[in-house]
Amino acid sequence: MSAEKTIDRLPAVPKPGRWIMPGLGLIQGLVISGKNAIQSYYKKDRMTTIQYPEQRAVISPNFRNFPFLCYDDDAATGLRCTACSICENECPPQCIYIVLDRDENGKSLKRPKVFDIDISVCMNCGICAEVCPFDSIYMDGEYEMSTDDRFGGLMLGLDRLAKSAEYHMKLRPEEASAVMAKRKAEEEKKAAAAAAKAAKAKADLEAKAKAAAEAKAAEEAQAATEEKGESA
Ligand code: SF4
Ligand code: SF4
């Protein structure tokens, strides 16, 4: 049943200040339920229930459950997360745990070595997704996550959190398209800045080489003049 049809069948909202008979809402609700129950035998759009799990309802793009981490191209190398820990610090129930990956010299590799979210604690607030400055963490629409493993099953690591940019595009096309456009514009800006820097460095190098060549030529000319003077 479409959302519009459902809204059409709801009773009109009474104007503020108008007297409402006690229990009217309950009666109206029961009338709608009764209509749905009887008419569902001969009207398909009155069927308000589905045979789950054989049938699945279409999930609203606004539905959000637990967070996931987005990667471009490859899960191992394309993770957008830089392990900046902003989401970890902002998460109200503190259910995110991040360890920064480092090389053998201790230098930051700007990616997480460990990224865990305890979904038994997560309250689906979406703050992590709002504060992430690297377009890395978004709220997922997955809801079939029940498990009998109280601890391991509800602790999501990188293997379960990392999902592709294509997944994000399918889940929320509008949001993902805006993010991709923004990232593309940023990349183009970076590439233009790098090209301008390289061109400036090349021009500086050429100017230096030209100045050195001119200085050398001047030195040689002076030496030649001095030599001429001595021989005269
Ligand atoms: S949705 Fe909220 S509670 Fe869950 S990990 Fe993000 S910030 Fe924490
Ligand atoms: S998900 Fe975003 S905010 Fe959280 S650590 Fe990674 S880059 Fe930082």
Side-chain angles (χ1 to χ4, degrees):
M1 186 191 296
S2 72
E4 286 119 38
K5 278 186 180 172
T6 313
I7 290 163
D8 281 347
R9 285 180 189 144
L10 291 176
V13 178
K15 284 181 185 152
R18 208 181 125 200
W19 181 81
I20 305 161
M21 187 182 91
L24 179 66
L26 178 67
I27 294 164
Q28 286 172 329
L30 286 172
V31 169
I32 291 173
S33 300
K35 272 188 184 174
N36 284 338
I38 295 162
Q39 294 183 9
S40 64
Y41 285 98
Y42 55 92
K43 276 189 182 174
K44 213 177 171 192
D45 69 338
R46 281 284 177 185
M47 284 287 279
T48 54
T49 55
I50 56 166
Q51 299 297 314
Y52 180 83
E54 289 79 17
Q55 294 177 333
R56 310 275 162 131
V58 178
I59 301 298
S60 160
N62 292 332
F63 172 75
R64 62 188 193 193
N65 201 8
F66 298 110
F68 72 95
L69 293 175
C70 203
Y71 67 79
D72 296 303
D73 306 324
D74 181 59
T77 56
L79 211 58
R80 293 178 188 170
C81 178
T82 60
C84 68
S85 288
I86 292 176
C87 58
E88 186 183 29
N89 295 331
E90 295 296 326
C91 173
Q94 297 285 287
C95 62
I96 301 178
Y97 175 70
I98 301 169
V99 177
L100 175 69
D101 202 6
R102 293 178 185 277
D103 67 10
E104 58 278 6
N105 301 316
K107 194 179 166 215
S108 161
L109 293 173
K110 291 189 178 172
R111 66 181 183 215
K113 186 178 178 188
V114 178
F115 198 120
D116 289 337
I117 297 181
D118 185 349
I119 60 164
S120 69
V121 177
C122 174
M123 58 184 197
N124 321 92
C125 65
I127 288 176
C128 49
E130 276 176 34
V131 296
C132 177
F134 297 101
D135 312 310
S136 168
I137 191 164
Y138 295 101
M139 299 307 284
D140 207 345
E142 197 184 334
Y143 56 91
E144 291 173 312
M145 301 180 82
S146 56
T147 173
D148 55 7
D149 180 4
R150 161 68 183 83
F151 297 104
L154 297 175
M155 183 67 83
L156 306 189
L158 275 172
D159 55 331
R160 289 178 69 188
L161 287 173
K163 295 188 179 178
S164 67
E166 285 80 41
Y167 175 84
H168 186 206
M169 191 63 83
K170 269 189 207 156
L171 185 71
R172 292 203 193 87
E174 218 173 288
E175 179 187 63
S177 304
V179 169
M180 293 305 275
K182 188 188 116 200
R183 289 178 69 78
K184 197 175 168 211
E186 279 172 3
E187 266 167 35
E188 283 171 359
K189 207 174 157 190
K190 259 189 213 167
K197 200 177 166 190
K200 191 177 175 293
K202 195 182 166 198
D204 287 350
L205 215 65
E206 281 171 0
K208 253 187 199 172
K210 196 180 167 195
E214 281 171 0
K216 197 181 170 194
E219 253 175 45
E220 281 171 1
Q222 193 171 349
T225 316
E226 282 171 7
E227 208 176 291
K228 234 184 192 178
E230 276 170 21
S231 58

